[in-house]
Amino acid sequence: VQLQASGGGLVQAGGSLRLSCASSGSTFSNYVTWFRQAPGKERGFVAGISLPGGGTIYADSVLGRFTISRDNAKNTVYLQMNSLKPEDTGVYYCGRGKVITTTPDGMEYWGKGTQVTVSS
C-alpha cells in the first residue's frame, strides 16, 4: 500500500488549503488519519476518518475549521483547512491503519508529508 499526500503550500493566516491523500494497493486498513509535525515537536493528531462508514474525529484545535472527507471511488481522503493560523504550520502526514486512533503508533502505512506554512 502506498499513500501520497499533496496540496500543501504557503498561505496567509485566515486562508484555506485542501490536502489530498491518495492510496494505492489493497489493504484491510480502513482508517485514514492526518497528523502534523512542527519543527522540534512530535507528530500530533489532526483528524481521522473511517473509509467504510465515513465517521470522523478531530483534534480540538482544528474542530470547526478543518473537515476531513473521503472519495472511495478515487481512493482519496481530503483535509479541507479553513481559517488557517500560524500554529497550523508543519509537515502534514497521512497514515492508514486498522483502527481509528489519535496516535501515530496505530498507523500501518504512511505517506510522505506535505509542507503547510501559514504566515501571520
Side-chain angles (χ1 to χ4, degrees), residues 38-84:
K41 295 188 176 181
E42 294 184 349
R43 196 169 293 189
F45 167 74
V46 176
I49 190 167
S50 164
L51 297 181
T56 58
I57 57 172
Y58 295 92
D60 289 344
S61 60
V62 307
L63 195 61
R65 300 188 297 123
F66 290 11
T67 302
I68 189 170
S69 62
R70 93 280 195 217
D71 185 336
N72 288 341
K74 295 182 178 180
N75 293 321
T76 301
V77 169
Y78 303 98
L79 185 68
Q80 177 67 44
M81 306 187 296
N82 299 327
S83 302
L84 282 162

Side-chain angles (χ1 to χ4, degrees), residues 9-100:
L10 173 64
V11 64
Q12 288 188 332
S16 299
L17 284 173
R18 189 176 81 155
L19 306 183
S20 299
C21 176
S23 297
S24 62
S26 177
T27 177
F28 291 103
S29 300
N30 287 326
Y31 298 90
V32 174
T33 309
W34 285 98
F35 293 84
R36 65 187 178 194
Q37 188 165 19
K41 295 188 176 181
E42 294 184 349
R43 196 169 293 189
F45 167 74
V46 176
I49 190 167
S50 164
L51 297 181
T56 58
I57 57 172
Y58 295 92
D60 289 344
S61 60
V62 307
L63 195 61
R65 300 188 297 123
F66 290 11
T67 302
I68 189 170
S69 62
R70 93 280 195 217
D71 185 336
N72 288 341
K74 295 182 178 180
N75 293 321
T76 301
V77 169
Y78 303 98
L79 185 68
Q80 177 67 44
M81 306 187 296
N82 299 327
S83 302
L84 282 162
K85 305 176 181 179
E87 51 264 43
D88 294 318
T89 294
V91 178
Y92 283 67
Y93 298 90
C94 60
R96 193 157 171 172
K98 288 190 172 66
V99 296
I100 198 163

Side-chain angles (χ1 to χ4, degrees), residues 35 43 96-99 101-110:
F35 293 84
R43 196 169 293 189
R96 193 157 171 172
K98 288 190 172 66
V99 296
T101 176
T102 61
T103 62
D105 290 347
M107 300 299 104
E108 293 187 301
Y109 307 99
W110 286 103

